[in-house]
């Protein structure tokens, strides 16, 4: 397991933000609670967003050891195998990824305010401006769900949840990679 910089370290412009991509407890398209699968696109694309905006850590959170092993194999190809020579930019992005089994590991590593995201309106959600102010005044970990989003039972354990990303109409089902890019841009 790679060690993360301490809270507030390695960030630019006063931004004190890390990111977590949670794979459980999430919903599937039928509304059932599941653990979703790790995808190579999520690993690389979310890490690229983080690195582009000066975030020093992306946590990939999955309770299933075989899924974390799968993510490690993907990362090893780019970090220590031929992939790192072939594409140094991908190697650099994946260097900020940390694989963990649960949210408690993220809490211990960051000591940060845990702020969730959801495409659903949640009572008491904070605005994007409030989230931006928080991320520039204290350590904050922005948490995203995969599949069809995080279960409300996990959202209720966070310190805050940000209002949904509003589009032009009623359709609101962004890929997590797109939501990460939009959210990090709004906050950073």
């Amino acid at each position: 397991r790679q060690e993360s910089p301490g809270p507030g370290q390695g960030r630019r412009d006063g931004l004190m933000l890390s990111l977590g991509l949670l794979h459980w407890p999430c919903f599937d398209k039928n509304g059932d609670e599941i653990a979703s699968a790790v995808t190579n696109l999520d690993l690389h694309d979310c890490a690229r967003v983080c690195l582009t905006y000066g975030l020093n850590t992306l946590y990939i959170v999955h309770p299933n050891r075989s899924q974390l092993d799968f993510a490690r194999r993907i990362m090893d190809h780019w970090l220590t195998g031929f992939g790192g020579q072939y594409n140094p930019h991908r190697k650099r992005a994946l260097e900020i990824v940390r694989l963990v089994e649960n949210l408690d590991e993220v809490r211990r590593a960051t000591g940060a305010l845990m702020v969730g995201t959801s495409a659903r309106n949640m009572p008491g959600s904070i605005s994007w401006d409030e989230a931006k102010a928080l991320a520039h005044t204290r350590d904050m970990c922005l948490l995203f769900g995969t599949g069809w989003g995080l279960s409300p039972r996990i959202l209720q354990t966070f310190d805050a949840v940000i209002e949904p990303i509003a589009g032009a109409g009623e359709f609101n089902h962004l890929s997590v990679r797109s939501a990460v890019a939009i959210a990090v841009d709004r906050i950073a």
Side-chain angles (χ1 to χ4, degrees):
R1 182 173 300 162
Q2 300 168 345
E3 293 300 315
S4 300
Q9 295 177 358
R11 301 191 178 105
R12 66 173 190 197
D13 302 327
L15 183 65
M16 299 187 297
L17 183 66
S18 57
L19 196 138
L21 187 59
L22 281 66
H23 294 80
W24 181 88
C26 296
F27 284 141
D28 67 10
K29 67 180 181 175
N30 299 315
D32 294 325
E33 201 171 271
I34 61 160
S36 59
V38 169
T39 71
N40 61 336
L41 289 174
D42 288 348
L43 291 174
H44 180 241
D45 288 353
C46 291
R48 289 170 55 190
V49 170
C50 289
L51 197 58
T52 297
Y53 283 90
L55 282 64
N56 65 5
T57 311
L58 165 62
Y59 293 95
I60 302 298
V61 184
H62 204 296
N64 186 309
R65 176 52 53 189
S66 66
Q67 284 290 296
L68 292 177
D69 290 345
F70 170 68
R72 172 60 55 206
R73 285 192 307 276
I74 292 168
M75 290 173 54
D76 283 349
H77 172 74
W78 298 105
L79 293 172
T80 63
F82 171 74
Q85 294 172 348
Y86 176 76
N87 189 338
H89 291 291
R90 186 166 292 177
K91 176 181 180 178
R92 176 67 186 104
L94 290 173
E95 287 173 344
I96 69 164
V97 175
R98 305 295 177 262
L99 304 175
V100 298
E101 291 182 11
N102 57 61
L103 194 55
D104 287 339
E105 290 183 59
V106 177
R107 285 186 175 109
R108 282 192 300 274
T110 65
L113 189 70
M114 297 286 133
V115 178
T117 60
S118 178
R120 295 178 290 279
N121 286 310
M122 303 290 294
S125 294
I126 63 172
S127 70
W128 289 100
D129 287 339
E130 290 170 304
K132 182 175 184 172
L134 284 171
H136 284 84
T137 58
R138 64 176 294 189
D139 284 313
M140 185 172 104
C141 185
L142 189 59
L143 302 162
F144 293 84
T146 54
W148 287 64
L150 291 169
S151 168
R153 74 178 177 91
I154 192 76
L155 289 167
Q156 292 172 3
T157 70
F158 298 156
D159 298 300
V161 177
I162 300 176
E163 65 191 353
I165 296 170
E170 290 183 26
F171 186 85
N172 189 5
H173 189 69
L174 293 170
S175 70
V176 72
R177 295 176 304 284
S178 296
V180 163
I182 293 166
V184 172
D185 185 72
R186 287 183 179 181
I187 291 173

